Amino acid sequence: MKTIGIICEYNPFHNGHAHQLHTLASEYPEALRICIMSGSFVQRGEPALFSKFDRARWAILGGADVVIELPTLYSLGSAQLFGTGAIRMVKALSIDTLSFGSETTNLNTLIGIAKRMDCESTQNELRNYLNEGMSYGTAFRKALGSEMLSTPNALLGLEYIRAGLKYHPDLAYIPIQRTSDHHNQTINQELPSGTALRQLITTATPLDMYSALQVAIPTPILDDMTHRITTGDYVDYSRYHDMVHMLSRRISASELERFVDFTEGIEHLWLKAAQQPSWESAIEQIKSKRYTYARLQRMGAYLTLGITKDLINIAMQDGPQYARLLAFNDRGRQWLRTKHDIPLIQKWAKAPTQLNNLGKSMHHIDTLATDIQALCFHSKGKRIGHTDYTYTPQYIK
């Protein structure tokens, strides 16, 4: 084993993430830890709370050796799209092992279920349950007869293995036991959930927030993260929600049909809901068993970023076209000299000259995602566009 890949979002980085990285460092000290991290938008269908530049720095301080950005076309996707894009990135970078957090660490069980996911009988049952109006996750859980799919990290782990069986059959796996509740809204444990931390940062008083962060955030990162919060260098989600709501009011049904996940006539319900006084009340009106909050949030992001069905289909077919370097340390510096199947991008302005049309589209969407996230920051001074072009990968000794 030479390299261990970690597919992550670090939204934000906390003790649970540090625990995984430190466990890998202790058990496999010679292996390089390479993070494939969501950029400015994350899989829950909205901008990340902090910039990818901050999150990449915190990942290195927390125990990673290299941080690579997962293009937005994949980071915003459903579990299958997210997992497939990330695994194809892992393959393109010749990473030989993947580690992921999971509510179960029985690898044989995970691999066995993953092998059944593409069986004809499973797919037929999946389609039947989807036709009954179930969400993708619920339908898959029933088709496989496994409650394991009700836990989000186990579901992602299964999607990683499923994609690995197809695109990277030699990939080895190291599941790490996840002990915290993914949806826990309170910080009452040393290994908190990202949900609880985001809730804390966006709603708590400064005194309560700092007290809770001391428990949940690794010491080398705590002061830096606290500084970002006190200076307003993080997302105000009300600004983003107003943006989605405004775009929903100015678009037509025929235009909506072009974007990912707008199927079965839901564009008409979407436009009707856009007349509600807020984005939150609009998605409450649309939500159903089939269209979950997460799916509706992703649809809002597809609309905001202009991500069409045609573009996603090509991205699924061809995979990531580049790996954008965000941060590295001394150990990672050696790895940068190795050859990869896709370009390793360090200078954003020069990237398009190395890319085909799909790569240029990915580059454009990633730039737009960063610009829109910045426009949503609390601090007016941080709402500057095109910061991708002024960013140099961080070398952290």
Side-chain angles (χ1 to χ4, degrees):
M1 181 191 305
K2 296 180 180 179
T3 50
I4 300 175
I6 301 100
I7 301 166
C8 55
E9 297 199 302
Y10 296 156
N11 185 34
F13 193 95
H14 56 66
N15 283 338
H17 303 130
H19 169 72
Q20 179 189 20
L21 289 166
H22 292 161
T23 298
L24 295 172
S26 174
E27 297 183 5
Y28 311 96
E30 301 302 317
L32 206 66
R33 296 175 294 280
I34 303 173
C35 291
I36 310 296
M37 188 186 78
S38 296
S40 299
F41 273 64
V42 292
Q43 205 223 351
R44 56 187 282 112
E46 62 188 15
L49 185 58
F50 296 99
S51 79
K52 61 191 176 189
F53 312 124
D54 289 335
R55 286 155 45 232
R57 179 173 64 259
W58 297 337
I60 298 294
L61 293 173
D65 296 311
V66 178
V67 181
I68 300 292
E69 179 180 357
L70 179 65
T72 308
L73 291 183
Y74 305 104
S75 72
L76 258 181
S78 63
Q80 183 179 12
L81 176 57
F82 181 94
T84 299
I87 289 298
R88 294 185 74 171
M89 176 79 80
V90 165
K91 171 63 174 176
L93 296 175
S94 301
I95 295 170
D96 54 51
T97 305
L98 180 75
S99 177
F100 55 90
S102 176
E103 288 79 2
T104 178
T105 57
N106 188 322
L107 187 55
N108 288 334
T109 298
L110 289 168
I111 292 174
I113 295 175
K115 286 180 177 177
R116 291 169 48 210
M117 292 174 82
D118 286 316
C119 291
E120 184 177 354
S121 59
T122 301
Q123 288 297 310
N124 286 338
E125 287 195 57
L126 172 64
R127 282 189 289 272
N128 289 336
Y129 288 129
L130 288 174
N131 289 336
E132 292 177 12
M134 294 182 186
S135 68
Y136 178 84
T138 301
F140 230 146
R141 182 167 65 250
K142 289 183 70 68
L144 287 165
S146 173
E147 286 301 313
M148 191 179 298
L149 287 169
S150 64
T151 55
N153 290 279
L155 173 57
L156 275 174
L158 288 171
E159 290 291 0
Y160 298 152
I161 297 171
R162 179 190 189 185
L165 292 170
K166 182 175 181 179
Y167 295 105
H168 196 348
D170 295 328
L171 187 64
Y173 303 95
I174 306 172
I176 302 290
Q177 182 72 52
R178 182 184 174 96
T179 57
S180 61
D181 181 354
H182 179 80
H183 294 297
N184 193 341
Q185 296 286 335
T186 59
I187 296 180
N188 55 9
Q189 52 193 334
E190 187 178 347
L191 304 180
S193 72
T195 300
L197 277 171
R198 290 188 297 273
Q199 180 75 7
L200 171 81
I201 293 167
T202 54
T203 62
T205 64
L207 184 61
D208 290 342
M209 182 192 308
Y210 187 72
S211 176
L213 289 180
Q214 284 182 303
V215 176
I217 305 300
T219 301
I221 298 166
L222 179 62
D223 287 346
D224 191 7
M225 185 180 293
T226 303
H227 175 71
R228 297 294 164 185
I229 296 169
T230 56
T231 57
D233 206 357
Y234 67 106
V235 167
D236 175 354
Y237 285 102
S238 65
R239 289 180 60 82
Y240 173 69
H241 294 158
D242 284 347
M243 190 181 302
V244 178
H245 206 46
M246 181 275 291
L247 291 171
S248 297
R249 284 193 176 183
R250 70 176 298 274
I251 200 166
S252 68
S254 59
E255 290 173 311
L256 272 179
E257 283 185 294
R258 298 173 51 240
F259 299 116
V260 182
D261 272 357
F262 282 89
T263 58
E264 304 165 329
I266 195 174
E267 59 273 8
H268 301 289
L269 182 58
W270 186 281
L271 293 180
K272 182 179 179 181
Q275 308 314 310
Q276 290 291 316
S278 70
W279 166 241
E280 294 89 342
S281 56
I283 60 173
E284 185 66 37
Q285 182 171 313
I286 307 170
K287 182 182 176 295
S288 65
K289 288 191 298 181
R290 180 68 170 271
Y291 288 91
T292 62
Y293 280 122
R295 182 173 178 181
L296 292 171
Q297 287 180 169
R298 284 196 293 269
M299 291 165 68
Y302 291 139
L303 166 61
T304 304
L305 297 174
I307 299 176
T308 64
K309 296 170 184 173
D310 289 343
L311 181 55
I312 282 291
N313 288 338
I314 297 170
M316 275 294 283
Q317 176 180 308
D318 293 354
Q321 299 299 297
Y322 56 81
R324 201 264 176 95
L325 177 67
L326 293 176
F328 60 100
N329 62 13
D330 274 328
R331 279 164 49 91
R333 195 175 195 176
Q334 307 301 317
W335 178 82
L336 300 181
R337 300 190 181 100
T338 61
K339 291 185 177 180
H340 311 290
D341 294 341
I342 53 178
L344 184 65
I345 303 299
Q346 299 192 40
K347 295 188 177 181
W348 198 239
K350 294 183 178 180
T353 63
Q354 306 175 53
L355 303 175
N356 59 17
N357 288 337
L358 175 57
K360 290 175 183 176
S361 294
M362 288 184 177
H363 182 277
H364 168 71
I365 295 294
D366 285 349
T367 303
L368 182 59
T370 303
D371 288 350
I372 288 176
Q373 183 200 37
L375 196 58
C376 297
F377 282 154
H378 283 267
S379 170
K380 290 182 179 180
K382 300 297 183 180
R383 295 173 189 166
I384 301 168
H386 276 197
T387 51
D388 273 309
Y389 290 95
T390 59
Y391 178 77
T392 300
Q394 298 171 83
Y395 170 43
I396 300 171
K397 297 181 181 180

